[in-house]
Amino acid sequence: MPSSTRPVEDSQLPPQKRVKFAPLHDDVSRATEIQPHPLRIKPSGNALGATTNLRDTSTGLFCIFPDELILQVFGYLGSEDLVSLGKTSKGMYGFSRAEELWKQLFIESELSKNPFTWQGTWRLTYLNRPAKYDSQIPLPNFYSDCLYRPWHMSQITPGPYASRIPVANRIQRFDNLDPSEFPSYSSIPFILTDPVKSWPAYKWTYQTLCSQFGSTPFRAEAVDWPLSIYIFYMLNQVDESPLYLFDRNFVQKTNSESAFQPPECFGPDYFAVLGEQRPDHRWMILGPSRSGSTFHKDPNATSAWNAVLQGEKYWIMFPPTVTPPGVFVSDDQAEVTSPLSIAEWLVSFHSIARKTPGCVEGICKAGEILYVPSGWWHLVVNTEDSLALTQNFVPEDKVSNVLEFLDEQRVSVSGFDCDKVMDPYGLFVERMGEQYPEVLERAQEQLRERREKRERKTKWEQLVEAKQTGGGGFSFGFGGGDSDSD
Ligand SMILES: O=C(O)CCC(=O)C(=O)O
Ligand SMILES: [Fe+2]
């Protein structure tokens, strides 16, 4: 059993809160102390100079395949086959213990749909085996990045990455804003420090929620687990990407309609015109340190607020036109590819991201609320076990962004029930026209101006391109003796 996992005594929530990580050091590399892999597996680079590598000498015919492929093939096996194969050689044993295989087996099995005891790892939980009855054969001569990397990443503490935010990058903070002030700030992220502190929900902790709703299932990615089980998992896991509780029905489950109110400065939420047809828009979020959300833009060009009730979140954000380092977007913007885990992104891209123009960063503590403007990229990582509420909304100033998105990026529109809503753009225009015709008119005018500007720019780019490539008879551009360059 991994050394940082606490012993499992009871399937109920342990009353004490998990000990926070040690005080932050200035230097990320010094601050992240990596424990040895539980099976003593090491990174591939260490094989240089080693006399044997079990990965090559003890996997039979499999040794010709890359590690990723071996794991992929093993992913088709059931638990019994995996255990049997693990008994055939030390090499196979190493691969058969990969946690991601057991996580997939457990989540897809009936076991995760009934009450169970989290045993500290996915394999032990699948086998329902307390760690004290488990044996581990050390494999000090096994070198594999594929097996070592997830362990290494599970040891990363995000705190050091969230520290020493350069002054120029700091997200602006206000105690509160007046609705009349919001339009001046609506295109840049900010943190409000006051409004949440008067919410009844500000008193929530995961401990109190557990005592009231411990047996109620809440959604955590692909599973619905009783809250007490999720919390016990959260406090006793060593996952690279811990399962993140993200529940869209929390208001009904906790009867909390009046426990929180969006800050008044945001004004009316114009997506409310969609009524029953509105996509899901509010969630309760709970997760341990290292859990969070990889880089994304919020759906349908909506804006959002995210209020931390307990714990702390680190945000790193980029304006709509600056794709964050390590993130790849298809030409039509429909596909976003980024490294698999937040820890991996922090290790590989955080320092360059911090120096990228447009980057803003901030820490949102319990009682504070962060505003995400429409279209902004954001990666969020919990630096402590954290409980939050979030809501997507459309302020007046951003109605035109939503119209533009719904009209022009139809393949990326999400969250609508496509059996009931064939044309989300048409529906939004229709409802806005019925309920807020003046707001709609202003937004359409803004959008027309934006489109005209874009059109002018495109024409200009075409002309410059024609000049650069020598295409066409007409040439127009800078320098080169052109008299009419502009
Ligand atoms: O992990 C978080 O708290 C951020 C959530 C978020 O960005 C979202 O819901 O879109
Ligand atoms: Fe988001």
Side-chain angles (χ1 to χ4, degrees):
M1 181 163 152
S3 54
S4 59
T5 305
R6 285 209 250 117
V8 176
E9 286 153 13
D10 192 332
S11 64
Q12 290 303 299
L13 168 71
Q16 76 279 29
K17 199 172 160 349
R18 186 219 281 255
V19 185
K20 289 188 194 146
F21 44 77
L24 304 183
H25 301 260
D26 288 345
D27 173 17
V28 168
S29 57
R30 266 193 301 130
T32 305
E33 282 167 25
I34 307 294
Q35 297 292 323
H37 187 281
L39 300 178
R40 302 293 181 266
I41 291 172
K42 298 188 190 67
S44 310
N46 292 37
L48 295 167
T51 46
T52 49
N53 183 356
L54 290 174
R55 185 254 167 273
D56 298 327
T57 59
S58 180
T59 46
L61 290 174
F62 275 90
C63 78
I64 60 167
F65 298 124
D67 293 7
E68 290 83 356
L69 188 58
I70 298 177
L71 282 180
Q72 213 169 338
V73 172
F74 278 32
Y76 289 102
L77 302 179
S79 59
E80 285 176 15
D81 294 337
L82 209 49
V83 171
S84 304
L85 200 55
K87 288 180 181 159
T88 59
S89 72
K90 283 190 172 179
M92 290 307 200
Y93 172 78
F95 281 107
S96 75
R97 292 259 168 153
E99 270 286 275
E100 65 196 75
L101 297 173
W102 291 96
K103 179 178 182 184
Q104 190 184 338
L105 277 174
F106 186 75
I107 283 179
E108 287 173 0
S109 77
E110 286 302 307
L111 296 172
S112 82
K113 299 183 179 72
N114 296 303
F116 64 90
T117 304
W118 175 254
Q119 301 283 9
T121 68
W122 293 97
R123 184 180 63 86
L124 292 175
T125 305
Y126 188 97
L127 301 171
N128 195 22
R129 182 182 299 162
K132 63 183 175 194
Y133 299 127
D134 193 39
S135 63
Q136 288 185 342
I137 303 168
L139 305 173
N141 302 322
F142 199 125
Y143 303 93
S144 160
D145 282 340
C146 220
L147 295 180
Y148 179 77
R149 193 197 50 80
W151 170 257
H152 184 107
M153 293 303 149
S154 77
Q155 302 289 295
I156 299 294
T157 52
Y161 294 90
S163 68
R164 306 215 307 171
I165 297 176
V167 177
N169 286 13
R170 287 184 196 160
I171 292 176
Q172 53 194 338
R173 300 167 72 84
F174 306 108
D175 44 13
N176 208 344
L177 277 184
D178 191 78
S180 64
E181 294 173 301
F182 176 61
S184 320
Y185 296 101
S186 66
S187 296
I188 304 178
F190 58 76
I191 291 172
L192 298 179
T193 56
D194 279 1
V196 172
K197 291 179 178 135
S198 57
W199 293 1
Y202 178 45
K203 296 198 182 67
W204 292 5
T205 63
Y206 63 78
Q207 292 92 336
T208 54
L209 286 179
C210 190
S211 61
Q212 286 184 69
F213 309 107
S215 56
T216 307
F218 280 77
R219 187 81 178 166
E221 299 179 25
V223 295
D224 288 290
W225 286 354
L227 188 59
S228 62
I229 293 191
Y230 176 79
I231 293 174
F232 192 69
Y233 156 82
M234 166 177 110
L235 298 173
N236 293 283
Q237 51 70 41
V238 272
D239 284 345
E240 174 182 6
S241 301
L243 219 54
Y244 206 20
L245 187 148
F246 230 96
D247 193 288
R248 60 192 169 136
N249 294 320
F250 75 98
V251 173
Q252 298 90 308
K253 290 176 187 176
T254 58
N255 191 19
S256 57
E257 192 64 65
S258 54
F260 61 96
Q261 303 82 31
E264 278 174 17
C265 67
F266 298 141
D269 171 3
Y270 290 94
F271 239 26
V273 299
L274 296 172
E276 296 276 289
Q277 279 82 44
R278 180 179 191 163
D280 295 331
H281 63 288
R282 51 192 188 178
W283 291 266
M284 185 179 93
I285 308 175
L286 176 60
S289 171
R290 218 174 43 255
S291 67
S293 306
T294 52
F295 266 113
H296 65 282
K297 290 181 177 185
D298 277 2
N300 305 324
T302 55
S303 306
W305 55 255
N306 183 300
V308 178
L309 306 178
Q310 181 182 20
E312 184 183 280
K313 286 176 190 287
Y314 167 68
W315 290 74
I316 180 161
M317 311 176 77
F318 288 89
T321 52
V322 182
T323 306
V327 175
F328 303 91
V329 185
S330 62
D331 285 346
D332 63 358
Q333 308 234 347
E335 301 280 336
V336 175
T337 319
S338 63
L340 288 180
S341 73
I342 292 173
E344 206 169 18
W345 187 87
L346 289 173
V347 169
S348 315
F349 293 105
H350 181 263
S351 67
I352 180 82
R354 205 166 234 192
K355 295 182 200 117
T356 303
C359 175
V360 296
E361 306 168 63
I363 291 183
C364 199
K365 293 180 191 296
E368 298 180 341
I369 187 165
L370 186 138
Y371 165 67
V372 186
S374 165
W376 274 68
W377 290 100
H378 47 289
L379 174 144
V380 188
V381 59
N382 294 305
T383 55
E384 298 175 7
D385 305 331
S386 298
L387 175 66
L389 300 182
T390 188
Q391 181 161 332
N392 287 88
F393 70 102
V394 179
E396 174 163 352
D397 206 32
K398 301 293 173 198
V399 171
S400 65
N401 299 44
V402 175
L403 288 173
E404 184 177 9
F405 188 94
L406 295 181
D407 190 24
E408 294 177 15
Q409 302 204 39
R410 290 180 186 240
V411 288
S412 304
V413 170
S414 62
F416 288 89
D417 179 346
C418 40
D419 289 336
K420 294 190 183 135
V421 184
M422 305 296 185
D423 175 16
Y425 169 75
L427 180 70
F428 187 47
V429 171
E430 183 190 311
R431 297 278 174 84
M432 284 296 294
E434 285 160 12
Q435 297 177 39
Y436 300 101
E438 285 163 16
V439 177
L440 176 65
E441 213 168 292
R442 277 199 296 277
Q444 284 174 325
E445 180 54 32
Q446 269 176 20
L447 183 53
R448 250 192 309 277
E449 280 169 16
R450 211 157 45 233
R451 281 177 170 153
E452 272 169 27
K453 212 162 147 191
R454 209 190 317 152
E455 181 73 4
R456 280 200 296 276
K457 205 171 142 204
T458 313
K459 279 209 179 110
W460 171 254
E461 276 162 5
Q462 280 169 1
L463 290 168
V464 171
E465 204 172 296
K467 163 72 182 168
Q468 282 167 350
T469 57
F474 176 74
S475 95
F476 183 61
F478 293 109
D482 282 335
S483 57
D484 47 1
S485 61
D486 192 321

